[in-house]
């Protein structure tokens, strides 16, 4: 019996480490991308004549807590189920590689140039996954709580 438990543990351990590394990678990438996205939004608002300081003062904390980790893991699981673990790893690789380019992009070029979705997952599927896993609500909640949403609305007037 002990031998069977040891074998199961050894079989599951790499999978658990692999899953943990994916969520850690996603959290790190997401935090960096969110920082770049908020800066991009601020640059665009400033180019339209808005004062960037109220926006900078209200940028939400991008640190992942348990709720974001749960939502992120849900997303990874759903994408893996619909595609494959290697396709999700490729997505994370592409996202990491794109991080340095984000500082030079605007929202329009970002939408045109960046497509990280794993094979077999469409834009609509990705939106549904993000929504169903709660990521959209969590990010909107952070923007609202920090005051960024209100500051952005004021900047657009």
């Amino acid at each position: 019996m002990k031998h069977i438990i040891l074998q199961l543990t050894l079989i599951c351990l790499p999978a658990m480490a692999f899953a943990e590394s994916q969520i850690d990678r996603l959290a790190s990438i997401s935090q960096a991308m969110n920082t770049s996205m908020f800066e991009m939004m601020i640059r665009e608002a400033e180019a339209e004549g808005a004062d960037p300081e109220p926006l900078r003062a209200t940028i939400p904390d991008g640190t992942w807590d348990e709720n974001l980790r749960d939502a992120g893991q849900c997303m990874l699981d759903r994408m893996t189920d619909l595609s494959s673990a290697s396709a999700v790893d490729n997505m994370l690789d592409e996202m990491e590689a794109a991080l340095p380019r984000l500082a030079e992009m605007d929202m329009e070029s970002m939408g045109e140039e960046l497509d990280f979705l794993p094979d077999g997952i469409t834009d609509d599927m990705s939106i549904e996954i993000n929504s169903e896993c709660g990521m959209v609500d969590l990010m909107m909640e952070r923007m609202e709580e920090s005051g960024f949403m209100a500051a952005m609305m004021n900047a657009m007037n």
Side-chain angles (χ1 to χ4, degrees), residues 16-145:
M16 289 186 295
F18 178 72
E20 185 63 28
S21 68
Q22 278 191 334
I23 190 62
D24 288 343
R25 286 180 69 196
L26 181 61
S28 177
I29 293 165
S30 175
Q31 289 173 35
M33 285 189 140
N34 283 338
T35 298
S36 293
M37 297 264 303
F38 286 121
E39 286 300 324
M40 185 185 313
M41 293 168 74
I42 292 169
R43 278 194 315 272
E44 289 188 9
E46 187 175 22
E48 296 291 322
D51 180 3
E53 293 315 308
L55 296 168
R56 283 197 178 92
T58 58
I59 292 175
D61 178 16
T63 306
W64 274 34
D65 59 12
E66 283 305 309
N67 290 334
L68 282 171
R69 286 184 71 83
D70 289 346
Q73 188 62 59
C74 173
M75 290 169 44
L76 290 171
D77 292 344
R78 295 276 308 277
M79 288 184 180
T80 300
D81 290 347
L82 294 168
S83 188
S84 70
S86 62
V88 172
D89 274 338
N90 289 339
M91 173 190 75
L92 295 172
D93 291 343
E94 291 172 14
M95 291 170 78
E96 284 173 333
L99 288 174
R101 296 189 339 236
L102 285 177
E104 303 162 6
M105 291 184 177
D106 58 22
M107 290 296 229
E108 185 176 328
S109 66
M110 186 184 79
E112 294 170 359
E113 294 180 35
L114 302 181
D115 179 17
F116 305 121
L117 297 178
D119 293 336
I121 298 180
T122 65
D123 287 339
D124 288 341
M125 292 166 76
S126 175
I127 291 167
E128 183 177 326
I129 290 167
N130 278 297
S131 180
E132 288 179 359
C133 288
M135 187 62 75
V136 174
D137 290 339
L138 290 169
M139 296 310 295
M140 295 298 283
E141 183 178 301
R142 282 194 176 196
M143 287 191 292
E144 192 171 313
E145 287 175 355

Side-chain angles (χ1 to χ4, degrees), residues 3-19:
H3 185 58
I4 293 172
I5 292 172
L6 178 60
Q7 285 180 330
L8 285 174
T9 302
L10 292 175
I11 290 169
C12 292
L13 190 58
M16 289 186 295
F18 178 72

